[in-house]
Amino acid sequence: MWTVVMAQPLTLVLDVPETPGDQDPELSPYEESEVHDSFHQLIQEQSRWVAEEGLELQQVAGNLGALASGHQILLGAEGGPVYSTATLNILASMPSRTIGRSRGAIISQYYNRTVRMRRRSSRPPLGPVMCSARPSLRLYDLELDPAALQEEEKRSLLVKELQGLSAAQRDHMLRGMPLSLQEKRFLREKSRIPRGKQRGQQGCGRVFYCSRLRYTCALALHSLGLALLTRLHALKPWRYALKQIGGLFGSSVLSYFLFLKTLLAFNALLLLPLVAFLVAVQAAFPPEAHPVPRCTGLELLTGGGCFTHTVMYYGYYRNTMLNTPCSSPQCSPGAGSLPYNMPVAYLFTVGATFFITCITLVYSMSHSFGESYRVGSTKGVHAITVFCSWDYKVTQKWASRLQRDNIRTQLKELLAEWRLRRSPQSVCGRLRQVTVLALVWLLCLGVALGCAVAVLTFSEVTIQSPAAAGREAGLLVLPVVVCLLNLAAPYLFRGLATLEQHDSPVLEVYLAVCRNLILKMAILGVLCYHWLGRRVATLQDQCWEDFVGQELYRFLVMDFIFALLDSLFGELVWRLISERRLRRRKPEFDIARNVLDLIYGQTLTWLGVLFSPLLPAVQILRLLILFQVKKASLMANCQAPRRPWLASHMSTVFLTLLCFPAFLGAAIFLCYAVWQVKPSDTCGPFRSLDRMYEAGTVWKRHLEQGSPGAPWLSWLHWYLVENTFFLFLVSALLLAVIYLNIQVVKGQRKVICLLKEQIRNEGEDKIFLINRLHSVYERKERSRAGRAAEVATPALVPDAGDK
Amino acid sequence: MGSKQTVFTQEQLEAYQDCTFFTRKEIMRLFYRYQDLAPQLVPLDYTSCPAVKVPYELIGSMPELKDNPFRQRIAQVFSEDGDGHMTLDNFLDMFSVMSEMAPRDLKAYYAFKIYDFNDDDYICAWDLEQTVTRLTRGELSAEEVGLVCEKVLDEADGDHDGRLSLEDFQNMILRAPDFLSTFHIRI
């Protein structure tokens, strides 16, 4: 008698091809769903089987141990895990891997996204949808559904959802989809509904209609804003020139020219209100005629001469009401009945333009900062170098070769730095480095201080020596001296900087920028003291505001001339010398120095706006000519900097430097001039007042007298301007908001670390599961083979028994 | 608005405008660039949607692409059959994704496909080696290339399976603010 213990016949659904030639990376949705189903089923069967045949496990425990150890991660030659083909196929069809792979997957992902968007009760976001673009398993219920749909059905579902969106939203969705253009056009065509049906589909219910109306209005405004922006972009001055520069020299040099364009926009913004409210109005109602001297060519440089009594300077503006109906017969008839208070207009226009510039600057700075700063962005520098450093804009062969050389140098430097970090520097070496750094800093600060003292003594000399009114050229000496110092000192700084050795080229650039900035701010500070402190005192009976306005004009023009000369000699002649004599490469385009020159010029403009309302026009002219000259000089004489820059960080840094030392300093200068300095008695719109801001108080009193039922004005004036409690409150709130934001960023960093750890653990879990499944599968295979052999042998015995 | 053009129907032009990041004028300009590549092949009338493909050799000789070490991969990724020969739709698609108005995630998706040389939906060590070699014109030694690839995998591979998936790549791109300005072709 024999008993055959036969196990239950197992129906194995999974049929994973083992041959390597069978790997089909482009699994269609049919196979995907099959694999999901069968995988799910396999796990259930195996766990059931393992639970039932628990005893068997103990018997073959010894074997299993050996098997399990044999199935640990086989390390391949490179040190990474090596999986069998079956495992690879399973891994490749895991839900998290199929997102974004096949067309069906993309379509279903976007279907889910539009469903979520429509289900939301509040207005969907109009801006770029940041987080929802990340593929997430939670949205993925369509693929895991056992009754998974075919691609056609998914597409029709998506089309139906798209039909429910508005046109702009649908376009926005379509543009962002990573599908081919043909597919997008098909989806768009299918999801367009004729006008009649559309009207019928909308609006059942009053409440629904109201929210739709509000949404439509907001969307219309948004599209209007977008249309305006695209028109402005389409104007795009210098589009071809910027493309050429970007193609030849890369993004870092391009950032200088883009910054120039930004400054042009700021100056245009500054000029428009000034021209509209001050220059045009005063030009329409000119004051009594002054004897105008003949125009020689010199006033283009000095700003005096025949420019003196024109709209260009503060002194021309009247301190009375313009356009008043007058009694004397000399008045021009047909004047309008709206009186225009010139002093108040002057004060408020200058204040308003500064305020608008401040808001625009802070907004663009924060926007640029948000784009360029990321939590944890300092890590992963190798990956970022490999994937994000090739600039696709570069189009010339030699520029492309230069870029390859740059990237190779960068990679070599990164590897060298990594090797160096493994063998840290000795204490002696580090100490030496620190001493050299401290010494160089001391020298640079000393040079800056020396320049400032030189400018101070020179300005005192110009006050002491009687500059006769006829000798106009004598007025140019101070600007020329300052420009020479501004030109020579950066070269000195660069020479001193070669003494110190830095590993990081970005640090070198930042240090150079800092030192140049300190020099320029020191010189400007001395000049401001000279104008508002000393000149006001010495020119008490004359028009000192005109003089200060003319000084600033002179400084702008001289700076411009020196910039042109520098381009000519610094770059052209240097290139000729270096090519003929020294046989070296072309000189590099020094981005830091050029940008600081631009910021310096803009600071001068802002300083001078109060005293010369047309100064932004001079600056615009300057910038236009400078663009062409710098571009020509760049193309002819220079090459791209050898050490590549982080262009996005640089533009944030430029804007920050423009905002903080430059604009802030100019605003402080303006506030001091308005609040503390006595305006001159003989010229200008504030000639009868003690301080410039009194024009505002006088007008307020005038308004109160005129209409006594306006106590809110004095209340407003008292609580907002005179009382300091309001300012304290606002500053305290601002500080609290900044502190909260810093804490939020710290928390985000911690969360990122934790999530990274979790992802790593999940990866290890996955490897463990694969190994266990392998071992289970192999054991099952072996036992099935064993049982097949057992079935084969007893089949013979009953035959013998029957006989 | 604009001059009357006979290349596309109004609907076609509107469809292109809605599905790409280009305006009408830019689409016409791009069409003429495409036509200039192969004047005998590309008809001047697209109202009947002719099935015309410009071969890869001509696409790769465009001034915007000819010095790019990844031009072949770019053409392969955006072409219909993966062989580099592009129709007008593919051409417009390519420059639309590479324009400055395309969002970061769209660019990251296509950048991933470009750097995936063997088209297996992962950037493995071999793909990385190819990328680094093309970037440096073969001037790094084999040991240095291997070292760089190892460090890249170290930094970017989140689940430690030895290769980069699309999510790893997108995570890394999020940390690189320069990506939008470098992965951009002006046309």
Side-chain angles (χ1 to χ4, degrees):
Chain A
M1 276 304 211
W2 52 269
T3 50
V4 173
V5 177
M6 282 208 290
Q8 301 280 342
L10 290 164
T11 51
L12 189 65
V13 180
L14 178 65
D15 182 20
V16 179
E18 294 267 3
T19 54
D22 232 351
Q23 268 192 10
D24 186 14
E26 197 74 286
L27 291 177
S28 78
Y30 290 97
E31 288 168 66
E32 276 171 5
S33 54
E34 254 183 85
V35 167
H36 286 315
D37 289 342
S38 47
F39 196 52
H40 188 65
Q41 230 176 326
L42 173 67
I43 292 178
Q44 282 185 333
E45 276 172 353
Q46 293 299 329
S47 47
R48 208 174 46 229
W49 185 70
V50 165
E52 282 170 17
E53 314 282 330
L55 281 172
E56 251 192 13
L57 279 174
Q58 286 175 356
Q59 285 174 13
V60 292
N63 286 351
L64 193 61
L67 272 172
S69 59
H71 272 289
Q72 290 308 312
I73 307 171
L74 303 162
L75 288 177
E78 308 90 38
V82 170
Y83 301 119
S84 71
T85 341
T87 316
L88 281 175
N89 269 336
I90 293 176
L91 273 179
S93 38
M94 281 197 299
S96 63
R97 294 286 177 256
T98 54
I99 295 176
R101 228 185 50 185
S102 61
R103 204 160 52 183
I106 298 174
I107 289 177
S108 63
Q109 180 199 344
Y110 274 86
Y111 164 70
N112 282 318
R113 204 189 295 178
T114 46
V115 163
R116 272 193 326 148
M117 210 194 249
R118 294 219 320 126
R119 279 195 199 133
R120 248 184 282 191
S121 53
S122 61
R123 177 165 62 88
L126 293 170
V129 192
M130 282 281 286
C131 343
S132 57
R134 299 279 299 110
S136 150
L137 213 49
R138 293 177 288 116
L139 307 173
Y140 214 57
D141 40 28
L142 212 59
E143 284 293 309
L144 289 179
D145 196 349
L149 307 169
Q150 305 177 31
E151 189 170 313
E152 264 308 313
E153 299 182 27
K154 278 188 235 174
R155 200 183 273 144
S156 58
L157 271 175
L158 178 62
V159 160
K160 232 188 296 176
E161 284 303 321
L162 282 175
Q163 280 172 354
L165 298 173
S166 70
Q169 260 184 315
R170 188 187 58 222
D171 289 341
H172 181 73
M173 199 99 234
L174 274 176
R175 282 194 191 118
M177 281 195 211
L179 294 169
S180 72
L181 191 58
Q182 213 176 1
E183 184 76 34
K184 285 190 212 181
R185 282 167 65 197
F186 178 76
L187 284 171
R188 176 182 174 272
E189 212 177 285
K190 282 285 173 266
S191 57
R192 276 162 82 83
I193 28 180
R195 289 275 174 78
K197 262 198 225 167
Q198 195 171 30
R199 219 166 276 141
Q201 257 186 347
Q202 288 176 357
C204 1
R206 263 304 152 86
V207 175
F208 193 59
Y209 183 70
C210 277
S211 65
R212 272 256 158 179
L213 184 70
R214 212 174 15 162
Y215 178 66
T216 324
C217 286
L219 198 59
L221 273 171
H222 183 77
S223 356
L224 185 70
L226 276 178
L228 266 171
L229 266 175
T230 40
R231 289 287 174 278
L232 278 172
H233 271 271
L235 281 178
K236 263 196 214 254
W238 304 321
R239 183 185 64 86
Y240 180 66
L242 288 174
K243 176 178 173 184
Q244 222 184 347
I245 294 171
L248 290 174
F249 298 97
S251 307
S252 45
V253 173
L254 192 63
S255 64
Y256 166 79
F257 289 92
L258 290 173
F259 186 64
L260 211 157
K261 223 168 78 147
T262 317
L263 279 183
L264 208 67
F266 273 120
N267 279 305
L269 189 70
L270 199 62
L271 189 66
L272 236 57
L274 288 171
V275 163
F277 293 111
L278 296 182
V279 177
V281 173
Q282 188 64 70
F285 298 95
E288 341 48 75
H290 264 252
V292 177
R294 251 183 61 246
C295 285
T296 62
L298 203 57
E299 52 269 339
L300 282 176
L301 287 180
T302 59
C306 67
F307 281 171
T308 324
H309 297 290
T310 54
V311 269
M312 196 153 154
Y313 295 111
Y314 169 98
Y316 189 74
Y317 294 83
R318 288 202 279 176
N319 68 330
T320 52
M321 306 274 272
L322 300 176
N323 209 6
T324 44
C326 46
S327 48
S328 61
Q330 278 105 357
C331 288
S332 52
S337 58
L338 201 63
Y340 193 80
N341 194 338
M342 195 41 147
V344 170
Y346 199 94
L347 190 69
F348 280 166
T349 312
V350 172
T353 47
F354 260 74
F355 188 68
I356 294 174
T357 313
C358 179
I359 301 283
T360 322
L361 254 181
V362 170
Y363 175 73
S364 15
M365 190 178 72
S366 65
H367 181 72
S368 169
F369 187 74
E371 283 288 310
S372 72
Y373 179 73
R374 293 277 183 270
V375 178
S377 62
T378 46
K379 306 198 193 90
V381 65
H382 289 84
I384 290 175
T385 310
V386 168
F387 289 121
C388 305
S389 57
W390 180 267
D391 196 350
Y392 281 65
K393 285 197 278 286
V394 169
T395 53
Q396 292 274 344
K397 197 174 187 68
W398 59 266
S400 158
R401 204 179 315 148
L402 193 70
Q403 205 177 18
R404 286 196 221 202
D405 288 339
N406 281 344
I407 294 180
R408 176 184 47 117
T409 319
Q410 215 182 352
L411 283 173
K412 279 207 160 126
E413 280 177 2
L414 280 172
L415 286 176
E417 204 180 297
W418 177 71
R419 283 198 195 108
L420 203 70
R421 219 177 295 149
R422 286 200 298 182
S423 55
Q425 223 181 2
S426 62
V427 178
C428 201
R430 204 136 16 114
L431 200 66
R432 190 160 17 116
Q433 209 178 25
V434 166
T435 4
V436 167
L437 193 67
L439 196 67
V440 170
W441 260 106
L442 270 173
L443 280 171
C444 292
L445 286 175
V447 166
L449 200 66
C451 289
V453 166
V455 169
L456 188 66
T457 41
F458 208 83
S459 61
E460 284 297 315
V461 163
T462 51
I463 289 185
Q464 306 298 346
S465 67
R471 291 189 66 240
E472 295 259 333
L475 295 166
L476 288 174
V477 181
L478 184 61
V480 166
V481 165
V482 168
C483 289
L484 277 174
L485 284 175
N486 270 331
L487 198 64
Y491 285 114
L492 192 64
F493 289 156
R494 210 174 351 158
L496 284 173
T498 52
L499 287 175
E500 50 187 41
Q501 276 109 20
H502 284 287
D503 301 319
S504 143
V506 185
L507 190 64
E508 269 180 42
V509 167
Y510 280 136
L511 280 176
V513 163
C514 265
R515 288 171 187 154
N516 283 326
L517 196 68
I518 290 175
L519 171 79
K520 289 195 156 66
M521 290 301 131
I523 292 182
L524 276 178
V526 165
L527 284 171
C528 287
Y529 162 72
H530 167 70
W531 289 321
L532 282 188
R534 302 283 294 124
R535 281 290 176 186
V536 173
T538 49
L539 289 175
Q540 264 308 329
D541 48 350
Q542 297 161 39
C543 202
W544 65 264
E545 293 97 344
D546 262 6
F547 183 79
V548 174
Q550 285 167 4
E551 279 271 273
L552 279 160
Y553 175 86
R554 282 192 281 270
F555 269 83
L556 262 182
V557 170
M558 278 291 122
D559 189 58
F560 175 60
I561 290 177
F562 271 80
L564 291 179
L565 287 175
D566 184 43
S567 290
L568 188 66
F569 289 108
E571 289 165 6
L572 174 65
V573 173
W574 187 249
R575 171 180 74 103
L576 291 172
I577 292 177
S578 71
E579 271 187 357
R580 303 280 167 75
R581 294 289 187 79
L582 305 170
R583 301 248 181 273
R584 246 189 285 167
R585 292 155 87 183
K586 287 186 185 174
E588 284 179 16
F589 186 75
D590 193 348
I591 301 175
R593 200 163 58 88
N594 282 303
V595 165
L596 278 178
D597 283 341
L598 281 180
I599 293 180
Y600 176 73
Q602 189 59 41
T603 318
L604 288 174
T605 314
W606 279 330
L607 287 173
V609 159
L610 181 65
F611 306 113
S612 167
L614 277 182
L615 211 58
V618 175
Q619 170 76 340
I620 288 179
L621 213 62
R622 225 177 72 113
L623 286 175
L624 286 172
I625 301 178
L626 208 61
F627 185 93
Q628 301 299 338
V629 167
K630 282 286 174 189
K631 175 171 160 274
S633 168
L634 178 73
M635 299 289 200
N637 303 328
C638 297
Q639 61 167 15
R642 242 173 311 138
R643 305 199 120 150
W645 284 39
L646 286 172
S648 62
H649 279 155
M650 277 298 121
S651 50
T652 313
V653 166
F654 298 160
L655 274 174
T656 315
L657 287 177
L658 191 67
C659 190
F660 279 123
F663 184 76
L664 199 65
I668 291 174
F669 179 81
L670 178 81
C671 290
Y672 185 80
V674 165
W675 255 277
Q676 297 284 26
V677 183
K678 183 174 176 349
S680 62
D681 292 322
T682 51
C683 63
F686 306 109
R687 51 190 95 163
S688 50
L689 301 166
D690 233 358
R691 298 278 182 271
M692 287 191 202
Y693 81 89
E694 279 180 14
T697 44
V698 163
W699 182 61
K700 175 186 71 97
R701 229 178 295 136
H702 181 76
L703 272 183
E704 276 175 356
Q705 283 166 3
S707 55
W712 57 270
L713 195 64
S714 61
W715 180 88
L716 209 68
H717 184 252
W718 168 249
Y719 277 108
L720 288 186
V721 180
E722 303 276 331
N723 200 356
T724 47
F725 175 70
F726 179 71
L727 283 171
F728 274 136
L729 193 67
V730 167
S731 320
L733 276 174
L734 206 65
L735 284 173
V737 165
I738 292 173
Y739 175 74
L740 278 171
N741 273 316
I742 291 176
Q743 291 306 314
V744 163
V745 166
K746 274 202 195 141
Q748 280 177 345
R749 269 207 201 103
K750 282 205 197 102
V751 168
I752 288 174
C753 283
L754 288 173
L755 284 173
K756 271 207 184 123
E757 198 51 45
Q758 191 177 349
I759 291 176
R760 188 199 284 248
N761 287 339
E762 295 294 320
E764 286 181 12
D765 280 348
K766 186 175 73 182
I767 293 172
F768 172 79
L769 276 174
I770 288 169
N771 285 336
R772 291 285 296 171
L773 281 169
H774 256 296
S775 59
V776 163
Y777 184 64
E778 293 247 331
R779 198 161 21 99
K780 183 187 56 59
E781 271 292 315
R782 242 196 329 275
S783 61
R784 188 170 65 169
R787 282 200 179 84
E790 280 177 29
V791 166
T793 39
L796 299 167
V797 177
D799 282 329
D802 273 341
K803 278 194 184 138
Chain B
M1 54 178 151
S3 56
K4 208 89 174 70
Q5 47 82 25
T6 49
V7 179
F8 300 110
T9 62
Q10 270 306 104
E11 288 84 33
Q12 275 179 320
L13 209 53
E14 272 180 26
Y16 279 134
Q17 227 182 335
D18 285 338
C19 296
T20 63
F21 293 101
F22 292 127
T23 61
R24 208 177 280 255
K25 210 164 61 153
E26 287 165 337
I27 292 173
M28 292 312 299
R29 190 157 47 88
L30 277 167
F31 171 75
Y32 287 120
R33 285 297 301 272
Y34 183 72
Q35 213 260 336
D36 274 336
L37 290 174
Q40 299 93 357
L41 209 58
V42 177
L44 274 167
D45 185 359
Y46 253 77
T47 48
S48 50
C49 302
V52 169
K53 279 195 188 186
V54 170
Y56 162 69
E57 291 72 28
L58 295 171
I59 303 269
S61 65
M62 283 181 73
E64 283 85 359
L65 288 178
K66 77 173 156 54
D67 291 305
N68 195 321
F70 301 109
R71 62 185 176 280
Q72 197 176 15
R73 280 301 300 161
I74 296 174
Q76 280 173 353
V77 162
F78 285 101
S79 62
E80 254 173 33
D81 306 317
D83 52 7
H85 308 311
M86 301 176 82
T87 64
L88 180 67
D89 276 358
N90 301 139
F91 189 78
L92 286 174
D93 206 10
M94 173 167 76
F95 283 107
S96 169
V97 169
M98 304 294 280
S99 73
E100 59 190 346
M101 281 144 319
R104 183 188 292 266
D105 285 311
L106 189 63
K107 287 195 187 218
Y109 176 83
Y110 280 103
F112 181 77
K113 289 182 87 163
I114 287 173
Y115 293 126
D116 180 15
F117 281 79
N118 52 10
D119 265 330
D120 62 351
D121 298 313
Y122 288 98
I123 295 183
C124 55
W126 185 79
D127 294 327
L128 279 173
E129 271 171 41
Q130 290 289 309
T131 310
V132 174
T133 316
R134 274 170 213 236
L135 273 179
T136 58
R137 212 160 44 125
E139 283 185 20
L140 284 183
S141 72
E143 185 215 335
E144 285 171 332
V145 170
L147 215 57
V148 169
C149 294
E150 195 186 292
K151 298 207 74 53
V152 170
L153 280 174
D154 241 346
E155 286 165 359
D157 190 9
D159 53 2
H160 292 262
D161 59 354
R163 45 209 183 143
L164 301 181
S165 66
L166 180 61
E167 286 146 341
D168 295 330
F169 189 78
Q170 278 180 328
N171 268 331
M172 194 253 313
I173 292 294
L174 273 178
R175 278 187 269 137
D178 271 326
F179 177 69
L180 279 178
S181 67
T182 54
F183 199 72
H184 164 222
I185 295 183
R186 265 184 207 266
I187 180 137

